[in-house]
């Protein structure tokens, strides 16, 4: 069995996992955006058809998907700031590890602020 | 391997514009702007009022009768789609090892990007909040009293 490479600063650490997450969330948001532009385009074609399609966004399963989408955007956006700081701030590289946990903490906080409200809108009586 | 790695320390040609660097910079500049645009978009559409439940034609019609939101949404469309497409180009460059496939996928990405930018921009700029023949209950309040 190959032995674990020793002394790496990147592999298996915050640097690598933040990159993996940034990439996966970026791709997920991209594909959602493609769909979202096309569903919004329906406002120019037929108001009733638009309301029909947007109605599916209010169903429980898609509603839960929106939670995932918001979580992905929160992480990607805040980690994007972290990447920018690593690139442009003199001390960015030094603090990249702390900054990752700040990103996770802030994203979690914003998500917890959003999730109950969204769940009420999706599952509440209307 | 199709990717040619330049000699380290070999000077970069100054003649051509460095598009890879411009793309790198674009990801960062658009990223900062998108934080404001996307967080604002999510806040107004999903957090205030009835959230996802309020979204319908009348909601969009109400928002887009204000030029502020039209400019907001069209700017967000361009910035986000080009950012996402350029990001996907990075992935294609990373994960394809046949040059033909890499080129094809990148072409496809930019064609889809261009088509959706044209579509989205046209939809927003030619939008009519009170289209003729639409049941009144689907229309935003600002259409009240208009006759077709
Ligand atoms: C909300 C604000 C956003 C910020 C601050 C942001 C920031 C960034 C930054 C700085 C990068 C470059 C990373 C690098 O060069 O290593 C990046 C990559 C990327 N972004 Fe964003 N982004 C945002 C929104 C979006 C959106 C809306 C999409 C999808 C449409 C997206 C998709 C991607 C993709 C696919 C990549 C490439 C990932 C990779 O190379 O691993 N981003 N983002």
């Amino acid at each position: 069995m190959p032995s674990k490479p020793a002394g790496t600063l990147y592999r298996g650490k915050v640097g690598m996992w933040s990159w993996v997450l940034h990439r996966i969330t970026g791709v997920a948001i991209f594909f959602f955006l493609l769909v979202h532009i096309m569903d919004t385009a329906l406002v120019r074609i037929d108001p009733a058809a638009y309301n029909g399609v947007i109605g599916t966004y209010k169903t429980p399963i898609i509603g839960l998907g929106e939670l995932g989408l918001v979580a992905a955007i929160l992480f990607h956006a805040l980690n994007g700031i972290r990447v920018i700081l690593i690139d442009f701030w003199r001390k960015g590289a030094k603090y990249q590890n702390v900054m990752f946990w700040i990103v996770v903490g802030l994203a979690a906080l914003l998500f917890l602020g959003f999730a109950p409200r969204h769940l009420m809108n999706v599952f509440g009586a209307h | 391997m199709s990717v040619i790695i330049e000699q380290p320390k070999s000077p970069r040609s100054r003649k051509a514009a460095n598009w890879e660097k411009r793309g790198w910079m674009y990801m960062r500049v658009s990223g900062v702007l998108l934080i404001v645009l996307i967080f604002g978009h999510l806040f107004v559409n999903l957090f205030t009022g009835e959230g996802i439940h309020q979204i319908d034609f009348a909601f969009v019609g109400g928002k887009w009768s204000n030029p502020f939101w039209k400019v907001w949404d069209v700017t967000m469309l361009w910035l986000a789609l080009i950012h996402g497409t350029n990001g996907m180009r990075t992935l294609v460059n990373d994960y394809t090892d046949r040059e033909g496939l890499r080129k094809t996928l990148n072409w496809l990405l930019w064609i889809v990007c261009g088509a959706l930018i044209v579509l989205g921009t046209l939809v927003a700029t030619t939008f009519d909040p009170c289209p003729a023949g639409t049941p009144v209950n689907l229309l935003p309040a600002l259409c009240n009293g208009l006759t077709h």
Side-chain angles (χ1 to χ4, degrees), chain B residues 7-18:
Chain B
Q7 284 295 314
K9 288 186 170 178
S10 61
R12 184 172 62 76
S13 157
R14 294 250 154 220
K15 270 180 236 136
N18 188 347

Side-chain angles (χ1 to χ4, degrees), chain B residues 51-69:
Chain B
I52 186 72
H53 241 275
Q54 70 196 338
I55 314 285
D56 55 16
F57 181 81
F59 179 84
V60 179
K63 252 184 123 182
W64 280 0
S65 57
N66 183 344
F68 175 83
W69 287 116

